[in-house]
Amino acid sequence: MVTIIVLAALVIGFFIFASLYTDYAWFAQLGFQQVLTTRWIAGTLMFLAGFLGMAVPVYASIAIAFRFRPVYAKLNSQLDRYQQVIEPLRRAVMIGIPVVLGIFAGLSTAGRWSMVLEYFNRTPFGKTDPQFGLDIGFYVFELPFWRSIVAYSSAVVLISGLAALAACYLYGAMRFGGREVRISRAARVQLAVTAAVYIALQAVSLWLDQYAALTKSNSLITGAQYTEVNAVIPGREIMAGIAAIVAILFIVTAVIGRWRISIVGTGLLLVAAIVIGGIYPWIVQRLQVKPSERSYESAYIERNITATRDAYGVSDVKEQNYDATTEATSGALGKDAQTTANIRLIDPKIVSDTFSQLQQYRQYYQFPNELDVDRYDVKGQTEDTVIAVRDIDLNGLSAAANTQYNRAFVYTHGYGVTAAYGNQRASDGKPVFLESGIPSSGALGDFQQRVYFGETSPPYSIVGAPKGSKNVELDYPSGSDDDNGGNATTTYAGNGGPSLGNFFNRLVYAAKFQSEQILLSNAVNKDSQILYDRDPLTRVQKVAPFLTLDSDAYPAIVDHRIQWVVDGYTTSDAYPYSQSQSLSDSIAGSESSAYRTDQVNYIRNSVKATVDAYTGKVTLYSWDTKDPVLKTWEKIFPTAVKPVSSMSAQLLDHVRYPTDLFKVQRSILGTYHVTNANSFYSGDDAWNTPQEPTSGTNDSSDSSGSSDSTTTNSGANALGTTTTTTRANLQDPYYLTMKVPGQGTAYTLYTTYIPQQSAGSNNRNVLTGYLAVDSDAGGAGKGKKASGYGKLTLLTMPKTDNIPGPAQVQNLFNSDTTVSQELNILKRGNSTVKQGNLLTLPVGGGFLYVQPVYVQSTSSGSYPLLQKVLVAFGDKIAFEDTLDEALNSLFGGDSGATAGDQGAAGSSSGSSGSGSSDSGSSSGSGSSDAGSGSSSGSGSSSGSGAVDNAALQKALNDAKQALQDRQDAYAENDLVAAAEADQRLQEAIKAATEAEGDN
């Protein structure tokens, strides 16, 4: 048995050692071992402090009670039996109980290492709170530390007192006889002193509670309101004084032996707690504040507004009135030609399947469900692009190829990126690629295309070999290397993971991944490396545990390499008077709950991080150099974060304002754009972000839906499509290169606002505000942020205006008879219609809405094709094949500007035919034919489009004429003519379907 226990202990110990050793190897390979060792040392010291802080006092309390027990005390028979049972185990109990309690306390305190390090390395904010005049850093760094110390000490003293009480009773120092309680002198001194220390700690706790009132969430605001300032806080001070006096009374009891005075004092403390801490504040709130709440709370609401706007970084938002027109006049877009030319038509939430079918090439590659938006310089002009990394997908391997060897040694990496112009479309509705093929080529130039570190990389891969060795890693399908089944091969030449060059390292990693292959395979050699923890977000989070990361890492071609860019935030929930909210809820768009564990009321985008897709190298850059929280962590990890001056100019060109931060700020500004306390209290100008307007238009399973949606009910819209209504599915902010009124043209992130209103009321979906932020960080050179980056602009609409909001515009689109009929044609046969992101642009003196319309066949291998564009200005809409045509139609025949898709060929019938034909789907089915990529990029179709099929063309034209005739007949109330036109429509659709099948 002993041998088995020893062996089990050795095995467990080895696995623990393997975990620690591999962690150190991983951090050391990245150059962040100081982060790990600091955490280990701090965690260990905190464990020891917690262990000793609990174990020593508890042991001392038990030992003192035993040492000074009455030796000749006469015990009753029951206590005598207890002593007989415990006495043989007394030493083990006296040591075991403190040790067990100490271990639990140590484990609890070990996790608080970050709070302690922040306290000892704290940085002042340079701003003071309005109540006590203390630096904000006191609340962020010091108050949590001291409150934790007091809470921990109180728990230790309480447990020690209970242990002493039990020991005193067991060994006769306390005896109960009827109504009389006899306590020995030694026990009296020990228990009274313990009680005095505990009450003194409560006095300190009460004193600290008055400061904590400034970060407490109340029904109206976060922070101390009138009742807290005038009743609760003074009451805490008084009660702290009373508790200090009671603690002194317990010391007196220890000296003179009279319990009555300390018991009376304790009773008075409890009464004071009820009266001063409960009844009096209730009276003040109920009888004084409540009847005139707005006037009493006005000053404290102002405190909350000022602190909240500062803590969330929105105090400098530039607000300007925008008296938007709703009249679409000829030439209205002439002054916004640059914005018009950059309107994005390619929806990154919809075209993932299109990218996959046209550019995936092999089943073991994949694109993400939602693509990224960036901008690149193409021939001297900045172009908004939709970009995606072609990552590896081991789940796509066939059963025969899905072996452990292939997963670890052969299929190790993705390859290249695919990028399309955001504002262009080919004649058949495909994206126009500016970078395509495999290996990819195009406008992005030469760069290292291998993606060993991606969002879907395998759990681990073993790579590397001596020079001259045979390549075993599949690089990309080339179609020319017969020895490798038409695939190019490679050997990893970077420094991306810990070495497996010796037996010991193989052994520990075999234990870590529970794979004997790592230890036994002859494919592992002296130059082998093991790559793991390869997701960019995972890598950054491990080396920067003090950061909260943005949910989206996006790829960028920087200095001839694929770099993943990750935004990191420093947060706190202790900024006085700043409104507290759940970080995840504010990002997801759901109602914030006070019970969430991720409550924050301070946030800064303090760090920009990059992860090299080939080497996995992680680099952290200090972005917000004024952030006191980041400065504190830079003291803790002095080598972890590089200055912003070391960022290359090309990297700065691709840095953008982070989406998650913008979502948090828009959530705050929905209420806190109001700076007048009275208006804030009445809530007469509170705003909400509108719900995603297409959530009721496209199928709930479409990729166009937001990932945070929560389906609540369903129905059908005017298009005959199943609709789903979601509560939390707010419209996403969008990146666009555009000119915001009063600003220059810039890469911008924007969102819209509508009036805040309760569910079930007569909701008004009109625009009340438009928030935009300059997201251009580059252009100023290496290490220099552009002067306009991060500037927030808030356009506010006059309260008397009725500018249609996104939901109203979507309803205009969906309920329009002509639009509905034409979409029904596009949906003929086995096709579905997907309406893309509804963009809102402040151009032409008003707001222009643009929505691309995609068509996708339900057949296998199909993908969405952009066929139509819906636009709206005021209550006027247009529906054409291209954005350029739609704008001209909307603005009286000449919009005054040209769109990016000007010249894209195809009529309504031709486009719709291309969208639903099987040939259009099969042309991009994902074959490795190089022509697929090039033809797509040039905007041509490899299949015979509908325009070339005379029968199909005629049928579609007949259908269009029948639709018009039916509409005219209904307008004249001629039901007979309408029925005849409807019959001709059905015959034309049937003829079109047959012609399409023949095609």
Side-chain angles (χ1 to χ4, degrees):
M1 179 59 71
V2 174
T3 303
I4 293 175
I5 293 174
V6 171
L7 288 175
L10 289 174
V11 170
I12 294 172
F14 173 75
F15 276 98
I16 294 174
F17 169 79
S19 177
L20 297 175
Y21 178 85
T22 53
D23 278 349
Y24 184 84
W26 189 90
F27 277 86
Q29 190 277 326
L30 281 174
F32 284 89
Q33 60 267 39
Q34 192 249 345
V35 172
L36 183 65
T37 54
T38 299
R39 290 186 61 181
W40 280 355
I41 293 170
T44 301
L45 292 177
M46 286 296 296
F47 175 83
L48 291 175
F51 175 82
L52 295 175
M54 176 65 76
V56 172
V58 172
Y59 174 79
S61 184
I62 296 174
I64 290 172
F66 177 76
R67 171 67 178 79
F68 293 100
R69 69 193 185 283
V71 179
Y72 302 106
K74 184 177 181 181
L75 305 177
N76 59 42
S77 58
Q78 187 174 9
L79 284 178
D80 191 50
R81 286 196 298 272
Y82 288 160
Q83 283 193 10
Q84 291 177 4
V85 173
I86 292 175
E87 190 61 29
L89 303 173
R90 176 176 55 80
R91 187 173 297 276
V93 170
M94 288 181 65
I95 297 175
I97 290 178
V99 166
V100 171
L101 292 172
I103 290 174
F104 281 109
L107 292 174
S108 175
T109 56
R112 309 301 298 274
W113 63 272
S114 58
M115 179 193 66
V116 175
L117 289 181
E118 283 185 293
Y119 171 78
F120 285 109
N121 295 276
R122 60 192 181 275
T123 303
F125 274 63
K127 298 179 180 180
T128 57
D129 78 90
Q131 179 64 32
F132 299 103
L134 298 174
D135 187 88
I136 303 300
F138 168 80
Y139 298 91
V140 175
F141 302 122
E142 298 181 48
L143 185 59
F145 174 80
W146 288 117
R147 294 190 78 193
S148 295
I149 291 291
V150 171
Y152 174 79
S153 300
S154 297
V156 170
V157 173
L158 180 61
I159 293 173
S160 298
L162 293 175
L165 196 64
C168 288
Y169 175 73
L170 184 63
Y171 287 99
M174 291 181 61
R175 285 175 289 174
F176 298 90
R179 296 183 179 181
E180 185 180 12
V181 180
R182 294 189 177 185
I183 305 176
S184 68
R185 182 176 182 277
R188 183 193 73 226
V189 172
Q190 181 180 2
L191 295 177
V193 169
T194 301
V197 173
Y198 182 78
I199 297 297
L201 286 171
Q202 303 319 299
V204 177
S205 178
L206 289 167
W207 186 263
L208 294 177
D209 282 348
Q210 65 178 322
Y211 303 111
L214 271 60
T215 58
K216 179 185 176 184
S217 293
N218 297 305
S219 58
L220 184 59
I221 60 171
T222 295
Q225 298 173 216
Y226 181 89
T227 301
E228 280 78 22
V229 170
N230 294 279
V232 175
I233 290 177
R236 292 282 190 271
E237 295 174 348
I238 294 172
M239 289 170 60
I242 296 174
I245 294 172
V246 173
I248 294 173
L249 293 179
F250 273 100
I251 298 296
V252 172
T253 296
V255 174
I256 67 175
R258 294 186 178 273
W259 287 96
R260 182 173 298 176
I261 55 175
S262 57
I263 292 174
V264 170
T266 303
L268 290 175
L269 177 60
L270 294 175
V271 172
I274 295 172
V275 175
I276 300 176
I279 296 176
Y280 178 64
W282 182 86
I283 292 174
V284 171
Q285 178 67 26
R286 188 74 176 180
L287 302 182
Q288 183 177 357
V289 176
K290 206 68 176 176
S292 306
E293 189 173 45
R294 190 172 76 170
S295 60
Y296 276 103
E297 302 293 10
S298 177
Y300 306 102
I301 292 174
E302 289 180 359
R303 291 181 178 183
N304 175 254
I305 292 173
T306 301
T308 300
R309 288 169 64 93
D310 180 72
Y312 286 94
V314 297
S315 58
D316 295 330
V317 60
K318 179 182 178 182
E319 297 188 35
Q320 61 187 70
N321 292 326
Y322 186 59
D323 191 3
T325 180
T326 57
E327 296 296 325
T329 59
S330 179
L333 301 184
K335 295 182 180 179
D336 299 291
Q338 192 170 358
T339 298
T340 305
N342 284 287
I343 295 175
R344 179 171 50 76
L345 297 173
I346 303 302
D347 187 343
K349 291 184 176 181
I350 288 183
V351 298
S352 177
D353 287 344
T354 307
F355 271 49
S356 296
Q357 291 295 331
L358 297 178
Q359 293 291 318
Q360 182 174 313
Y361 293 102
R362 288 290 187 269
Q363 75 280 5
Y364 46 79
Y365 289 132
Q366 67 175 333
F367 291 106
N369 290 331
E370 183 175 337
L371 310 186
D372 289 294
V373 179
D374 203 348
R375 67 278 192 207
Y376 286 88
D377 186 89
V378 180
K379 297 179 181 180
Q381 182 174 348
T382 300
E383 299 280 359
D384 285 8
T385 61
V386 176
I387 187 171
V389 166
R390 187 184 293 107
D391 215 339
I392 195 73
D393 178 19
L394 296 185
N395 293 326
L397 294 175
S398 64
N402 194 10
T403 64
Q404 191 174 3
Y405 180 89
N406 280 342
R407 296 176 71 91
F409 298 98
V410 177
Y411 296 93
T412 58
H413 60 281
Y415 202 94
V417 300
T418 297
Y421 290 96
N423 62 343
Q424 299 182 29
R425 48 157 287 186
S427 60
D428 56 358
K430 297 174 185 174
V432 178
F433 294 104
L434 59 92
E435 187 77 19
S436 60
I438 186 168
S440 63
S441 60
L444 303 186
D446 296 327
F447 57 94
Q448 172 58 261
Q449 299 194 28
R450 297 175 181 90
V451 182
Y452 282 88
F453 295 85
E455 294 177 307
T456 60
S457 296
Y460 73 90
S461 294
I462 299 173
V463 298
K467 290 184 178 180
S469 301
K470 182 180 179 181
N471 296 335
V472 297
E473 297 178 53
L474 185 145
D475 204 19
Y476 60 88
S478 66
S480 59
D481 192 343
D482 294 334
D483 293 338
N484 292 286
N487 296 317
T489 56
T490 188
T491 296
Y492 184 68
N495 181 23
S499 171
L500 291 179
N502 58 67
F503 177 80
F504 180 75
N505 280 13
R506 291 192 196 184
L507 181 62
V508 293
Y509 275 104
K512 178 181 179 65
F513 291 104
Q514 299 181 26
S515 172
E516 72 284 353
Q517 186 180 50
I518 297 175
L519 184 64
L520 303 176
S521 176
N522 58 11
V524 182
N525 55 74
K526 65 182 182 65
D527 290 334
S528 290
Q529 304 172 43
I530 183 165
L531 312 182
Y532 61 99
D533 287 339
R534 300 157 73 177
D535 175 66
L537 294 178
T538 301
R539 294 179 78 78
V540 174
Q541 191 68 82
K542 287 186 70 172
V543 303
F546 54 92
L547 294 177
T548 299
L549 300 185
D550 194 272
S551 57
D552 181 33
Y554 61 95
I557 309 302
V558 177
D559 302 321
H560 307 291
R561 308 187 75 86
I562 301 174
Q563 297 279 0
W564 294 97
V565 183
V566 180
D567 285 285
Y569 310 117
T570 47
T571 61
S572 174
D573 62 351
Y575 198 102
Y577 273 106
S578 175
Q579 192 66 25
S580 179
Q581 62 179 359
S582 165
L583 184 62
S584 59
D585 284 346
S586 61
I587 292 172
S590 56
E591 295 180 2
S592 184
S593 169
Y595 299 101
R596 294 282 192 182
T597 59
D598 62 343
Q599 295 288 322
V600 300
N601 65 0
Y602 173 87
I603 186 170
R604 289 291 185 272
N605 179 206
S606 53
V607 170
K608 300 285 186 180
T610 61
V611 178
D612 191 292
Y614 185 72
T615 65
K617 179 182 179 182
V618 179
T619 308
L620 307 177
Y621 297 99
S622 172
W623 189 248
D624 189 339
T625 55
K626 297 180 180 180
D627 177 28
V629 180
L630 178 61
K631 289 181 179 180
T632 296
W633 283 104
E634 286 179 321
K635 295 176 186 177
I636 299 170
F637 302 129
T639 62
V641 184
K642 292 185 176 182
V644 68
S645 59
S646 62
M647 296 181 75
S648 70
Q650 197 172 122
L651 174 57
L652 285 165
D653 287 341
H654 293 282
V655 166
R656 69 189 189 189
Y657 202 82
T659 305
D660 284 356
L661 174 62
F662 189 68
K663 286 182 177 180
V664 171
Q665 290 175 325
R666 77 173 178 181
S667 173
I668 286 296
L669 280 174
T671 305
Y672 286 87
H673 70 278
V674 177
T675 55
N676 179 274
N678 291 335
S679 179
F680 183 95
Y681 177 85
S682 62
D684 59 354
D685 196 23
W687 303 340
N688 269 342
T689 304
Q691 287 191 344
E692 172 56 51
T694 62
S695 62
T697 303
N698 302 321
D699 293 338
S700 59
S701 60
D702 288 346
S703 62
S704 59
S706 177
S707 59
D708 52 75
S709 60
T710 306
T711 302
T712 55
N713 54 62
S714 61
N717 64 10
L719 303 179
T721 319
T722 300
T723 65
T724 57
T725 303
T726 59
R727 180 180 62 84
N729 184 15
L730 300 186
Q731 188 177 32
D732 283 336
Y734 296 120
Y735 291 100
L736 290 174
T737 296
M738 65 179 180
K739 182 179 180 180
V740 178
Q743 307 292 320
T745 301
Y747 189 63
T748 303
L749 182 63
Y750 82 86
T751 192
T752 57
Y753 288 110
I754 61 174
Q756 188 179 103
Q757 46 216 327
S758 59
S761 62
N762 187 17
N763 293 344
R764 296 178 61 248
N765 198 289
V766 296
L767 276 189
T768 54
Y770 187 93
L771 179 66
V773 62
D774 189 331
S775 295
D776 263 334
K782 178 182 178 181
K784 297 179 180 179
K785 289 188 282 187
S787 59
Y789 174 86
K791 289 186 177 179
L792 292 157
T793 301
L794 180 61
L795 305 180
T796 59
M797 313 305 126
K799 294 183 180 180
T800 56
D801 284 2
N802 285 301
I803 309 298
Q808 282 190 4
V809 172
Q810 191 68 61
N811 184 61
L812 281 174
F813 291 159
N814 295 347
S815 60
D816 184 87
T817 306
T818 302
V819 172
S820 177
Q821 290 169 347
E822 293 200 38
L823 288 179
N824 279 326
I825 293 178
L826 293 175
K827 293 194 302 180
R828 73 188 185 282
N830 295 321
S831 296
T832 59
V833 171
K834 296 183 177 181
Q835 291 174 249
N837 41 210
L838 182 60
L839 305 178
T840 310
L841 299 99
V843 295
F847 284 99
L848 172 68
Y849 287 91
V850 178
Q851 183 176 63
V853 177
Y854 291 81
V855 177
Q856 181 175 2
S857 170
T858 56
S859 61
S860 176
S862 66
Y863 50 87
L865 294 171
L866 176 58
Q867 300 291 18
K868 288 282 191 176
V869 180
L870 282 161
V871 294
F873 195 92
D875 57 359
K876 185 178 179 182
I877 69 172
F879 187 41
E880 301 293 343
D881 297 334
T882 67
L883 174 60
D884 197 63
E885 294 172 356
L887 292 178
N888 287 330
S889 174
L890 187 66
F891 290 93
D894 181 14
S895 67
T898 57
D901 66 344
Q902 183 190 31
S907 65
S908 172
S909 57
S911 297
S912 61
S914 173
S916 60
S917 66
D918 292 337
S919 61
S921 300
S922 62
S923 64
S925 60
S927 70
S928 60
D929 182 7
S932 173
S934 60
S935 67
S936 302
S938 64
S940 63
S941 175
S942 58
S944 57
V947 176
D948 299 328
N949 188 323
L952 178 59
Q953 181 71 62
K954 181 180 182 304
L956 292 172
N957 289 337
D958 290 344
K960 187 173 183 180
Q961 183 61 49
L963 277 172
Q964 185 63 47
D965 292 344
R966 187 177 69 170
Q967 184 176 355
D968 294 340
Y970 278 124
E972 297 174 4
N973 201 25
D974 188 346
L975 299 182
V976 175
E980 292 175 351
D982 190 66
Q983 179 63 32
R984 285 189 283 114
L985 174 61
Q986 299 302 322
E987 293 172 354
I989 292 175
K990 181 178 179 181
T993 304
E994 293 173 352
E996 185 182 36
D998 295 337
N999 190 36

